[in-house]
Amino acid sequence: MLSTPQNSAPAAPSSPGDEALTSGLAALRQRLDAAARSAGRDVRSITLLAVSKGQPASRLESALALGLTQFGENYLEEALGKISALAGTAAEWHFIGRLQGNKTRPVAEHFSWVHGVDRERIARRLSEQRSARAAPLNVCVQVNIAGEASKSGVSAAEALPLLHAIRPLPRLRLRGLMCMLPFDLPATEQHRHFAALRGLLEKANAQGLGLDTLSMGMSDDLEAAVAEGASIVRIGTALFGPRPQ
Ligand SMILES: *Cc1c(COP(=O)(O)O)cnc(C)c1O
């Protein structure tokens, strides 16, 4: 039969965009494999979070067809459109942007993870707004590990008290720490900051917090992040290419 079943999605067109994604993913997998190997780590212990901000839903469908299921979005309105376009697929959504106090509800309702919690008030709202029917919302605390004046995230000194405040919130599952480094740091500095985040996680776990996630490493610094123990790398441009304007 040559007819197309009515309820199946149209085949993904073999557009240049899909080829770029296929080759971007292959190159990225090679980088991750090499980084894991030289760190003596199993690459399967590292989750690839596809940062899909700025990408249309059609490209996320291509990514799903290539086996990617974890998507990171920064901009709430943009993300909600894609979440409804891809409803019923295996996609899981990670909010990685700056979260405003009045925007927590849609995040609590539609995402599986929030990577950038840096205030107790935001965490409380997320817990209150997370449906009892859904799995607890996974959260990471964002640490401004490089001490940049312009960046969000708590200081290393503030991280432990915030973690202890979030831990008992009933509808959250506290997973770990997240950081974002400035661009163009020398590799030695990348290693130093990522190692500091890992040290903070170890300190938290010595206090019984039971954290299992280091969300660190982007397109330009994933090798250093993997070497220092990243469990989730958040990759946009090295996977999808430059973001459309
Ligand atoms: C955009 C973004 C990324 C991905 O950055 P790339 O350099 O494109 O890999 C990762 N994490 C956060 C928080 C981002 O905003």
Side-chain angles (χ1 to χ4, degrees), residues 158-226:
E158 293 163 326
L160 286 168
L162 181 57
L163 289 166
H164 282 285
I166 293 175
R167 184 78 167 89
L169 297 176
R171 303 301 303 140
L172 303 186
R173 183 165 168 216
L174 183 60
R175 299 298 295 267
L177 300 173
M178 177 270 206
C179 76
M180 197 171 168
L181 298 189
F183 292 107
D184 296 329
L185 284 184
T188 51
E189 290 292 291
Q190 295 172 358
H191 280 268
R192 187 167 69 83
H193 293 309
F194 288 141
L197 197 73
R198 188 191 62 225
L200 207 49
L201 187 98
E202 287 164 359
K203 201 166 157 189
N205 283 341
Q207 298 180 5
L209 283 163
L211 307 179
D212 64 6
T213 300
L214 281 172
S215 168
M216 60 188 197
M218 306 178 19
S219 294
D220 291 329
D221 55 20
L222 72 88
E223 281 82 5
V226 167

Side-chain angles (χ1 to χ4, degrees), residues 59-194:
R59 291 209 85 197
L60 280 71
E61 281 167 11
S62 306
L64 275 163
L66 292 169
L68 296 171
T69 56
Q70 308 299 305
F71 296 101
E73 293 279 339
N74 288 46
Y75 307 107
L76 190 55
E77 295 308 316
E78 179 195 326
L80 292 175
K82 290 182 232 180
I83 291 171
S84 78
L86 298 188
T89 70
E92 281 200 72
W93 303 94
H94 299 236
F95 191 78
I96 62 173
R98 179 156 177 83
L99 187 49
Q100 291 160 11
N102 60 351
K103 299 269 179 69
T104 51
R105 184 174 295 280
V107 171
E109 286 174 352
H110 296 288
F111 285 77
S112 297
W113 284 74
V114 178
H115 288 242
V117 174
D118 61 2
R119 280 162 291 165
E120 187 181 340
R121 191 174 66 89
I122 297 282
R124 287 195 180 282
R125 292 179 65 102
L126 289 170
S127 183
E128 283 161 17
Q129 292 166 347
R130 182 68 165 181
S131 160
R133 292 185 305 278
L137 182 64
N138 297 292
V139 302
C140 291
V141 161
Q142 183 171 359
V143 183
N144 183 3
I145 199 77
E148 276 184 290
S150 61
K151 281 280 159 68
S152 50
V154 295
S155 69
E158 293 163 326
L160 286 168
L162 181 57
L163 289 166
H164 282 285
I166 293 175
R167 184 78 167 89
L169 297 176
R171 303 301 303 140
L172 303 186
R173 183 165 168 216
L174 183 60
R175 299 298 295 267
L177 300 173
M178 177 270 206
C179 76
M180 197 171 168
L181 298 189
F183 292 107
D184 296 329
L185 284 184
T188 51
E189 290 292 291
Q190 295 172 358
H191 280 268
R192 187 167 69 83
H193 293 309
F194 288 141

